[in-house]
Amino acid sequence: MRLSRFVIPLALFVTIVVFSFFGLEIQDRDKLPSALIDKPFPEFAAASLFDPTIEVKNDALLGRATLVNVWATWCPTCKAEHDELVRISEDTQLQLIGINYKDDPVKARQWLSDQGNPFDLVLQDPEGDLGIELGVYGAPETFLLDESGRVLYKRVGAITREVWSHQMLPFVDDI
Amino acid sequence: MCLISLYSQAASTVDIFEFSEASDKSRYQSLIQEFRCPKCLNINIAGSDAPIALDLRRTVYRLIVNEKMTDDEIRNFLQERYGDFVLYDPPLNERTWLIWSMPLLFLVLGIWWVFSTKIRSASESRIELSQSDRDQLKQILDDNR
């Protein structure tokens, strides 16, 4: 009797502490872990934004560490992160590839000429089909790939200076 | 070929998809109930108005009608892209073993608890005397003799 009076509250206490420890550590509950981490970037073929006659495939991602950024002109958060993408394109050796997600190509080209174009290459995904292949469920989303096209990291939401230096740079330095 | 508008359970979304086979239509309706919308956390893709839920319903339709995939192939397709999150029935793996083992753990604890209280109540029904109790009792009886 004395033992269970001690053990039951202790067991409850330990359970609450353990679950709080792990549960409260989960930041951003609305951000899902990507199913693509450590896997090769999916096979795709998409038209270039600036020249729709050019079809871009996976080989465009190979040979250089690459940042693939899913963006759209209808997405306010994309506007917020744009300056940081421009800075990354200027300050790093990364190749930047944009996926213009469920957008109007005319507006997209206008946006890039107004605000500066950080991308080496921009692909069109008018219906969001490439987005489905990538497990995208909103914009912006950003994938970091190594030279072999393997996904190292995925960011859901804007890349800020802080996200860049604390979460992404360690992966970039390892490449 | 008939034009069928599908009303989801939540009745908030109306998509127009054409099905030539009635069995495809019923598969579609049951599959879209099964997947969780990645954007809106606890609504299935049938009941959500989020654009991504519409895209996923369109994808399920395409996989059934154009790609002729089986239900399991469609589940794998979405799981490979969106992770275990889209399945309301998560598989047993290194991240979920603890929660899956809970029912068994509670069963074992329950059995242990029932047995330990039974043994205790059985032992409490008669009075156990320690050696010193017995010596003391013997002493009292001897003194009174």
Side-chain angles (χ1 to χ4, degrees), chain A:
Chain A
M1 205 60 180
R2 198 173 295 153
L3 183 73
S4 66
R5 254 183 214 164
F6 176 69
V7 166
I8 290 171
L10 181 72
L12 280 173
F13 176 74
V14 169
T15 310
I16 291 168
V17 167
V18 167
F19 276 87
S20 305
F21 187 77
F22 291 107
L24 299 177
E25 278 291 292
I26 302 171
Q27 299 287 321
D28 302 324
R29 276 158 201 281
D30 56 335
K31 290 174 184 170
L32 309 188
S34 174
L36 283 177
I37 298 295
D38 284 332
K39 296 197 178 133
F41 199 82
E43 295 285 323
F44 70 91
S48 159
L49 178 69
F50 290 103
D51 183 356
T53 60
I54 296 176
E55 192 185 53
V56 182
K57 291 187 171 169
N58 287 64
D59 52 6
L61 305 171
L62 304 178
R64 272 173 80 186
T66 300
L67 213 56
V68 178
N69 177 250
V70 180
W71 66 281
T73 57
W74 46 259
C75 150
T77 317
C78 301
K79 190 159 196 149
E81 79 170 357
H82 196 82
D83 288 345
E84 184 60 14
L85 289 176
V86 171
R87 189 199 65 79
I88 291 169
S89 76
E90 286 165 359
D91 290 0
T92 71
Q93 298 298 308
L94 291 170
Q95 167 176 241
L96 265 73
I97 292 188
I99 295 177
N100 186 230
Y101 179 64
K102 299 179 75 171
D103 205 355
D104 173 1
V106 176
K107 282 187 190 165
R109 286 189 286 262
Q110 188 60 47
W111 156 295
L112 292 176
S113 72
D114 290 349
Q115 302 198 63
N117 180 3
F119 301 113
D120 297 288
L121 192 60
V122 185
L123 314 179
Q124 292 186 37
D125 185 21
E127 304 298 324
D129 292 337
L130 178 54
I132 299 264
E133 292 299 311
L134 301 177
V136 166
Y137 60 94
E141 292 191 16
T142 305
F143 298 84
L144 177 65
L145 319 182
D146 68 10
E147 306 94 326
S148 67
R150 193 169 56 102
V151 178
L152 301 177
Y153 172 88
K154 178 190 176 184
R155 168 75 185 167
V156 176
I159 298 173
T160 58
R161 185 63 66 91
E162 199 188 357
V163 168
W164 170 256
S165 43
H166 290 105
Q167 296 181 33
M168 303 180 71
L169 206 51
F171 285 99
V172 176
D173 289 341
D174 280 351
I175 296 173

Side-chain angles (χ1 to χ4, degrees), chain B residues 115-126:
Chain B
F115 273 88
S116 67
T117 49
K118 275 224 156 144
I119 289 165
R120 195 185 303 132
S121 62
S123 65
E124 275 170 359
S125 61
R126 42 191 276 260

Side-chain angles (χ1 to χ4, degrees), chain B residues 121-135:
Chain B
S121 62
S123 65
E124 275 170 359
S125 61
R126 42 191 276 260
I127 300 160
E128 291 286 344
L129 294 180
S130 68
Q131 192 57 49
S132 67
D133 289 339
R134 286 203 191 106
D135 291 346

